[in-house]
Amino acid sequence: MKNHLLSILKERPLILDGAMGTMIQGKKPNPLDYKGHLNSSAILNLTRPDIIESIHDEYFQSGSDIVFTNTFTASPVALTEDNLDKEMMAINQTAVTIAMRSAAKYSSEGNLKFVLGELGPTSKLPTLGHISFDELMASYMQQAEVLIKAGVDGIVIVTCQDMLQIKAAAAGAREAMVNSGIELPLIVSVTIEANGKTLLGSDIIAMLTAVEPYNLSLFGMNCATGPMVMREHLRQLQLYSPVPIFCKPNAGIPQNIDGKLRYSMTPQIFVEEIASLIKEFPNIRMIGGCCGTSPEYIKALALQTSKIKDKQEFEPLKFSKWKPRVSSLFSSITLDQEPRPFVVAEQTNANGSKKFKELLEKNDYDAMAMVAKKASQGAHALDLCVAYAGRDESRDMTEFADRVLKNVDIPLMIDSTNPKVVERALSIAPGRCIINSINLEDGGVKAATILKLAKKFGAVVVCLTIDEDGMAKTSVKKVEIAKKLRKICLDAGLRDHDMLYDLLTMTVASGDKELYDSAVQTLEAVKMLKKEMSESRVLLGVSNISYGLTVAARKVVTSVFLSKATHAGVDAAIINPIKILPPSKIVEQERLLAERLLDNTEVSGSPLADILSYFEKNKTVSKIEKNISQDDLTLEQKLHQKIMDGDKTELSSILSEIVKSISGGDIINKILLPAMKEVGALMVKGELPLPFVLQSAEVMKESIDILAPYIKKDENIFRGTIVLATVRGDVHDIGKNLVDIILSNNGYKVINLGIKQHIDNIMKAVAQHNAQAIGLSGLLVSSVEAMKEYLESLKSKGIQIPVLVGGAALTKKTTESLLQTVYDGDVYYCKDAFAGLSAMEAIAKPTKNCL
């Protein structure tokens, strides 16, 4: 039946059943039917199978292709709460028998009916420490095994709110399939509340990322809201999900009417909204009803779907190529960053950070978590390593990781050579993590253990090019070991995009002549691997290259190597972003010395000796020549340089001196703003990466805060107000938030409404704040269409306020031909944040308001 079910999905959506609980209540079982377990509908499988079968019959009669077994609360953990755990096997087996008997009545060769074994949540949330991952996984495995052996056509995990719970259920279901020797479709459905998040704060793509490694057949949503409230989340799934979409909404939001909980949506309204979603999102391939729906709703839905089918309006399934992602509890991020690399912060590694190690020695886990929080602001993931001789690494990892999960919104890299430590960390980390690492030092024995954990928890694995002979030093050897590791990973059930290859770079500064060409060999290996294994992704511990040099020399050499590595094809880097310099800030002579060292090029002598000699002679000057000599700079020049360097040190003392001779407004307008313009120009040229721009913006902000008491009421430093928003259906806000930072720190008041904003909200904000402009942001192609609709809405209301637009799918030509033509006001295309600043300068006139 499995193949039939999945093959039908390719042709049309399958109709699911509706609510079970409300139907049972409508049948009014006798209290004696519950045998004292009034909260458990599962017991009715044994005491009143006639009621359960009649409900399945009504749904099949109404047009359902699929019914769920009455096992939502039939896992051992859930049944234990009702003292029914001893009945687990009988309850689940009987539930399948009842459903299959009903399906057989209504199934024919041309109209097959299916039964899905339902796994529901429990009252225990593992992310909150209510239950362990292993205990919950074992419970789901036992239930799924009974359902599978009893003959269901697939497993559906529904109403998921906790990432760890959903992973435990998926892992348990997969283990049950292995134990039973039966492979079935696995479907996962999460519950997104009206606020756009799960109960624990996860967004839809974060949930998808966490469970995607478990080989899903469908992924989607059920419960909590009506169809249209799910719309934006379904839009995200249409764009990103690599599998068809599951959709089972409530009949709207329940309301208290005359003291009773009622769902306000009629079957007609419910079906009209569902039909609209099916047309808009062709990847929806299982649809039905959750709370508040009945056979009447399903009948109307089946009829409407049949009409669409008759008109041959079902579009084929369309999937974008899945980009491998990792996630925290809250959000998800792709490993394929543009521009590269994916940055893993190393500040939380006890082997690489003296400060972090000292905090670990003091058992100051809270302070360690603050280090992690600060490090997360400039990275895509955190490298968690607490290995330290003489300490209990498992305890340290548990204490630290538990705090990090609550303070940090980026994914984690679990860095340990101890499988037990890795397992402990993964068992409490809700998102999709990276494991660092496996190798072939012992022939692959430990790697096999780690790979089982990666499979169990759905993690990405870092593969180190080490074998029985030690670390691979030549490019050929590195690639050779990488290929062996790939085979081992594939044999363990992982996919190519579940792996990161660390081709290992060793220091070029040790004085060991055998390592002089370490950088050359590593970069050559990167190019070879990318050529021979096109799907591979490479990670490097970049700072290893400069180990042994002075701090100043390390900064330059590591920065130059990172640039070379990125150009060679490296996808991810473990670094401390604070210790990396942008190319524009590296003195030319120092760059050439670093390149000679990395390229192992002898000109007039040893590259290592030359760079050591240079930095010995230039201990103070070499701070990027920003200090050309600080003593010779005026206070105004020093402040300008602080902005350029993103340096907050001594800021207050410099400003307190300058303000004695220059007004606060003039300091902002004549020193700070020109410096930020210079920063913007460097960014546009590609000479100043985003993290450094943000550091400069932070200095600007702090400067304005310090100057606030010195600004006179008649000084024209307030430059105007803009309402900023990401358009409906789009959750991308990095670019928009950068615009916010740049404009806010340049004298503008920014009303940042956030993501997925409708035009009505935007217009209300414009009126409320008397804004001079609107900024519309969006990354997606569909977002451009939304911008067009917004501009048409503004025009229809006679509004001509200037509008700034920006996003990856936009171009100047598109703005002029598609957007400007539908709007009577000015539309400004903003390629980047500083283009937004230029646009605002053209729009806004200074007012006499004070900051």
Side-chain angles (χ1 to χ4, degrees), residues 62-115:
S62 299
S64 289
D65 298 300
I66 299 170
V67 297
F68 293 179
T69 55
N70 181 37
T71 53
F72 183 79
T73 57
S75 68
V77 167
L79 290 173
T80 298
E81 296 180 2
D82 290 317
N83 296 314
L84 285 171
D85 49 305
K86 292 181 180 178
E87 305 287 347
M88 187 276 293
M89 183 173 290
I91 286 172
N92 283 280
Q93 284 179 334
T94 306
V96 177
T97 300
I98 295 168
M100 290 182 66
R101 187 163 59 226
S102 179
K105 297 177 197 175
Y106 301 96
S107 188
S108 62
E109 186 175 343
N111 186 26
L112 296 175
K113 303 297 182 182
F114 303 94
V115 173

Side-chain angles (χ1 to χ4, degrees), residues 619-841:
K619 289 180 179 178
T620 57
V621 183
S622 145
K623 292 191 178 176
I624 320 146
E625 277 187 357
K626 69 179 180 183
N627 301 322
I628 304 175
S629 178
Q630 286 285 326
D631 294 337
D632 297 333
L633 297 178
T634 65
L635 288 172
E636 291 84 350
Q637 289 172 328
K638 286 181 179 179
L639 180 58
H640 180 96
Q641 198 63 46
K642 290 290 181 184
I643 295 288
M644 296 302 298
D645 295 333
D647 181 7
K648 292 181 181 180
T649 60
E650 302 177 351
L651 194 59
S652 182
S653 61
I654 291 174
L655 285 167
S656 63
E657 286 297 317
I658 297 178
V659 82
K660 292 177 182 179
S661 56
I662 304 175
S663 72
D666 281 347
I667 292 173
I668 291 172
N669 291 320
K670 296 180 179 179
I671 302 175
L672 298 177
L673 291 178
M676 279 304 295
K677 282 187 178 180
E678 195 171 333
V679 168
L682 289 173
M683 176 184 163
V684 171
K685 292 178 183 177
E687 296 178 7
L688 196 65
L690 178 58
F692 300 97
V693 174
L694 298 181
Q695 287 176 28
S696 294
E698 282 297 313
V699 177
M700 180 77 177
K701 181 178 184 299
E702 188 163 321
S703 297
I704 292 175
D705 289 342
I706 293 170
L707 289 171
Y710 302 100
I711 296 171
K712 300 175 183 178
K713 290 185 179 180
D714 61 349
E715 288 189 286
N716 298 333
I717 61 169
F718 179 75
R719 314 179 78 195
T721 301
I722 180 172
V723 171
L724 202 59
T726 301
V727 299
R728 62 167 170 74
D730 202 320
V731 297
H732 298 89
D733 63 356
I734 294 176
K736 171 180 63 63
N737 291 343
L738 178 58
V739 173
D740 185 348
I741 291 169
I742 299 304
L743 292 180
S744 297
N745 295 328
N746 279 274
Y748 294 95
K749 181 179 180 181
V750 178
I751 310 302
N752 191 338
L753 299 181
I755 61 175
K756 299 186 291 186
Q757 293 296 315
H758 290 268
I759 188 61
D760 290 344
N761 295 337
I762 295 170
M763 286 192 286
K764 286 178 185 177
V766 169
Q768 180 182 349
H769 298 280
N770 190 27
Q772 284 75 52
I774 294 172
L776 299 179
S777 174
L779 184 71
L780 312 172
V781 173
S782 58
S783 299
V784 179
E785 286 298 321
M787 291 176 188
K788 180 173 178 284
E789 292 174 22
Y790 287 13
L791 291 168
E792 290 171 337
S793 295
L794 291 171
K795 180 179 179 179
S796 69
K797 297 182 186 302
I799 297 173
Q800 297 184 23
I801 184 172
V803 177
L804 286 65
V805 295
L810 265 179
T811 63
K812 190 173 188 296
K813 183 178 180 181
T814 302
T815 302
E816 293 172 349
S817 62
L818 183 67
L819 301 183
Q820 182 64 80
T821 56
V822 301
Y823 188 56
D824 292 336
D826 291 327
V827 181
Y828 292 82
Y829 167 62
C830 301
K831 183 179 181 181
D832 52 50
F834 284 94
L837 177 59
S838 297
M840 283 303 294
E841 288 176 341

Side-chain angles (χ1 to χ4, degrees), residues 8 26 285 701 847:
I8 294 173
R285 290 303 161 110
K701 181 178 184 299
T847 72

Side-chain angles (χ1 to χ4, degrees), residues 185-200:
L186 177 62
I187 302 160
V188 168
S189 176
V190 304
T191 296
I192 303 292
E193 303 292 339
N195 65 2
K197 306 281 185 179
T198 66
L199 181 66
L200 296 185

Side-chain angles (χ1 to χ4, degrees), residues 351-362:
N351 295 315
S353 169
K354 181 181 178 182
K355 176 183 177 181
F356 187 74
K357 183 174 71 173
E358 289 172 348
L359 293 174
L360 178 62
E361 289 175 322
K362 298 175 183 176

